Amino acid sequence: MTTPIVAIVGRPNVGKSNLFNRIVEQRVSIVEDVPGVTRDRLYADAFWTGHRFILVDTGGFLLKEVDAFTNKVSEQVKVAISEADSIIFLVDGKEGITSYDEEVAKILRETDKPIILGVNKVDNMAEEANIYEFYKLGFGDPIPVSAIHGRNVGDLLDEVVRTLPDVEEVDEEDIDAKVAVVGRPNVGKSTLVNKLIGEERTIVSDIPGTTRDAIDITFLWNDKKIVLVDTAGLRRKSKISDAVERYSTIRTLRAIERCDVAVTLIDAVEGLTDQDKRIAGYAHELGRAAIIVVNKWDLVEKDHTTFKAYERMINEGMPFMTYAPILFLSAFTGQRVHRLSELILKVVDEHKKEIQTAALNSVIREAIRRQPPPSVKNKVLKIYYATQVKTGPPSFLLFVNDPKLIHFSYKRYLENKIREAFGFEGTPISLCLRRRK
């Protein structure tokens, strides 16, 4: 399943960022902010009339020098076109058509992607007469909007979702695991993929950002079919210097969306960074199974405390992912790489594990007996019944007297007891409480 992408393109100063902010920050849509991942101003998850899509803001990508616009806009817009499922072409209703608009329109006419023409800065009915000249651009009926005031933005979104492709489930019955190899640039993702499959199938280079696209590779391990996605490196937004690399970030996040397991690589020499935490956090928030790989382990000077020190650093730095196994290896030398394939299949099994209802309730009852829920304003949480409602990730529904009575620490306690009893190594689990009628 792949989430559609909608890109807002146009020349500078037509209000692309204002429209983006209007859609994702106001009540016209719902934004799913993922903790620890920079999502503002560049891309955000949005919903409109039951349709989910990733909205991309190309505002600010173009060079400030006007004279350089014609030379650079082609690369910018073509990258947006190549990744987007639908495109909002935004123009300025007050200024009218400019040569820069025509430059963008020329590029857009070469694609078969749906183009929705939005005429921004049309603040009232009287100004709607200004939209008619934009028919000359050749994209059908222009939609007058005011991004600042929110005028007609809903009409624009209605047209956008009408053009989005249906999100279809891919037939993956013969695939045992889908794995996204993710991490910052230059941590060794391509080298690791090549070592796993035993041949040169992706570009290997010590230049950060060599891998621009997500490349799916299928290989067999002990008669199990594994699909690997070698993704472009994710780096902090402040470090992203060109449009192509900005869009490779979105491709990487999209790869995590459709995987079963996210293998996050960390550079052993550099240690755990904030960006490592953001990348792993995105997989966690999406409920994907996870493996933390500390690469370039051969380059680290070690003593008898090194291993434990690294493990403690990772667990303390990412306390939300202590369930993820940590593997120390060297993709360059091949040290322990074979263990990664075994670990991938193991955590996938854990990710898809189903627990019998009787066994689950036995564990919950014993946990309550050992440590009863604390009272809240003289009221005590009562858990009547528990059942597993889905896998991938394992999700459990607890029927209670009042869901508001549970404290997050007690919820964490129950989660730990479930893990003690049933494992679930490498996968997040979800506990949801519902009032019993």
Side-chain angles (χ1 to χ4, degrees):
M1 179 184 296
T2 303
T3 305
I5 288 179
V6 177
I8 306 173
V9 301
R11 64 177 176 84
N13 302 320
V14 295
K16 295 186 297 296
S17 294
N18 286 335
L19 180 61
F20 178 90
N21 291 336
R22 169 62 61 175
I23 294 173
V24 304
E25 293 178 359
Q26 304 298 323
R27 292 296 180 181
V28 295
S29 64
I30 303 171
V31 182
E32 295 178 350
D33 286 327
V34 177
V37 181
T38 303
R39 299 171 67 82
D40 59 317
R41 300 288 298 173
L42 175 59
Y43 52 91
D45 289 341
F47 286 85
W48 182 253
T49 62
H51 296 266
R52 177 180 178 235
F53 56 92
I54 297 174
L55 184 67
V56 180
D57 175 21
T58 61
F61 289 1
L62 303 179
L63 297 182
K64 294 181 180 179
E65 294 81 9
V66 175
D67 292 340
F69 175 80
T70 303
N71 296 328
K72 292 295 182 180
V73 70
S74 177
E75 178 187 9
Q76 155 69 244
V77 176
K78 285 180 179 178
V79 171
I81 291 171
S82 67
E83 190 61 22
D85 297 292
S86 185
I87 297 169
I88 299 173
F89 178 22
L90 201 64
V91 294
D92 189 324
K94 294 190 183 299
E95 289 191 20
I97 297 176
T98 70
S99 60
Y100 300 138
D101 293 323
E102 292 174 343
E103 183 72 22
V104 177
K106 181 180 178 181
I107 297 169
L108 292 177
R109 290 191 198 101
E110 299 174 357
T111 180
D112 58 355
K113 301 291 179 70
I115 310 296
I116 297 90
L117 179 60
V119 183
N120 193 26
K121 305 181 185 179
V122 181
D123 300 328
N124 52 60
M125 288 286 291
E127 295 180 347
E128 289 195 7
N130 298 336
I131 74 170
Y132 293 107
E133 70 168 302
F134 292 99
Y135 276 97
K136 292 189 296 185
L137 294 174
F139 297 108
D141 296 333
I143 301 176
V145 299
S146 174
I148 290 181
H149 302 295
R151 186 171 182 268
N152 291 343
V153 171
D155 294 341
L156 182 71
L157 290 174
D158 286 341
E159 188 63 23
V160 167
V161 299
R162 190 184 66 79
T163 66
L164 295 181
D166 294 330
V167 179
E168 298 180 354
E169 295 285 350
V170 180
D171 183 10
E172 296 167 342
E173 292 183 358
D174 60 340
I175 296 175
D176 296 288
K178 293 173 294 177
V179 184
V181 180
V182 299
R184 294 180 293 112
N186 208 27
V187 292
K189 298 183 297 299
S190 296
T191 303
L192 177 60
V193 168
N194 290 334
K195 191 68 69 172
L196 278 170
I197 64 178
E199 59 178 300
E200 294 290 330
R201 288 281 298 276
T202 59
I203 301 172
V204 180
S205 170
D206 59 0
I207 301 174
T210 299
T211 304
R212 293 297 195 185
D213 299 306
I215 307 167
D216 285 14
I217 301 171
T218 302
F219 75 105
L220 293 177
W221 176 265
N222 293 339
D223 297 325
K224 298 289 187 178
K225 184 179 289 187
I226 299 175
V227 175
L228 278 174
V229 180
D230 179 27
T231 54
L234 282 168
R235 61 175 68 186
R236 291 191 308 274
K237 191 172 66 172
S238 60
K239 296 290 186 180
I240 301 175
S241 58
D242 63 88
V244 177
E245 192 166 333
R246 289 176 185 269
Y247 277 85
S248 70
T249 299
I250 297 170
R251 290 170 180 170
T252 298
L253 299 182
R254 204 178 213 185
I256 295 175
E257 274 195 325
R258 60 189 179 87
C259 77
D260 298 310
V261 185
V263 177
T264 303
L265 266 65
I266 295 173
D267 190 315
V269 177
E270 296 184 13
L272 184 68
T273 69
D274 288 341
Q275 184 65 352
D276 295 327
K277 300 174 188 178
R278 293 186 184 98
I279 296 169
Y282 189 85
H284 171 77
E285 291 293 333
L286 284 176
R288 302 301 182 255
I291 299 172
I292 307 298
V293 169
V294 182
N295 191 26
K296 306 181 185 180
W297 191 238
D298 57 313
L299 302 180
V300 175
E301 294 186 9
K302 311 173 190 67
D303 57 29
H304 66 284
T305 66
T306 308
F307 177 85
K308 289 294 184 183
Y310 261 81
E311 197 172 53
R312 183 170 60 253
M313 172 189 66
I314 293 171
N315 286 329
E316 291 178 353
M318 298 191 295
F320 56 90
M321 286 188 69
T322 54
Y323 58 81
I326 304 171
L327 180 61
F328 297 81
L329 56 77
S330 170
F332 180 74
T333 67
Q335 178 188 23
R336 300 193 189 94
V337 171
H338 69 283
R339 292 180 56 186
L340 179 58
S341 297
E342 300 170 356
L343 195 55
I344 287 169
L345 295 174
K346 179 181 178 181
V347 299
V348 167
D349 287 341
E350 295 291 295
H351 197 53
K352 300 177 179 178
K353 181 186 289 185
E354 296 185 26
I355 304 301
Q356 294 295 323
T357 300
L360 174 64
N361 280 276
S362 176
V363 169
I364 295 295
R365 284 194 298 268
E366 178 63 18
I368 295 172
R369 187 189 69 81
R370 289 179 174 272
Q371 184 174 326
S375 62
V376 179
K377 296 180 179 180
N378 296 323
K379 294 182 179 180
V380 178
L381 175 74
K382 295 181 180 180
I383 302 175
Y384 303 114
Y385 183 74
T387 184
Q388 185 173 357
V389 292
K390 67 184 290 287
T391 62
S395 301
F396 304 93
L397 181 61
L398 278 61
F399 292 93
V400 300
N401 60 332
D402 186 352
K404 296 179 181 179
L405 294 178
I406 194 166
H407 191 270
F408 75 90
S409 61
Y410 196 75
K411 195 173 184 179
R412 180 68 57 85
Y413 164 74
L414 293 177
E415 178 182 323
N416 290 338
K417 289 301 179 182
I418 291 174
R419 289 189 182 278
E420 288 177 12
F422 304 113
F424 293 121
E425 181 185 14
T427 178
I429 65 176
S430 172
L431 297 183
C432 180
L433 277 66
R434 180 182 297 173
R435 184 189 299 271
R436 189 181 73 172
K437 295 182 182 179

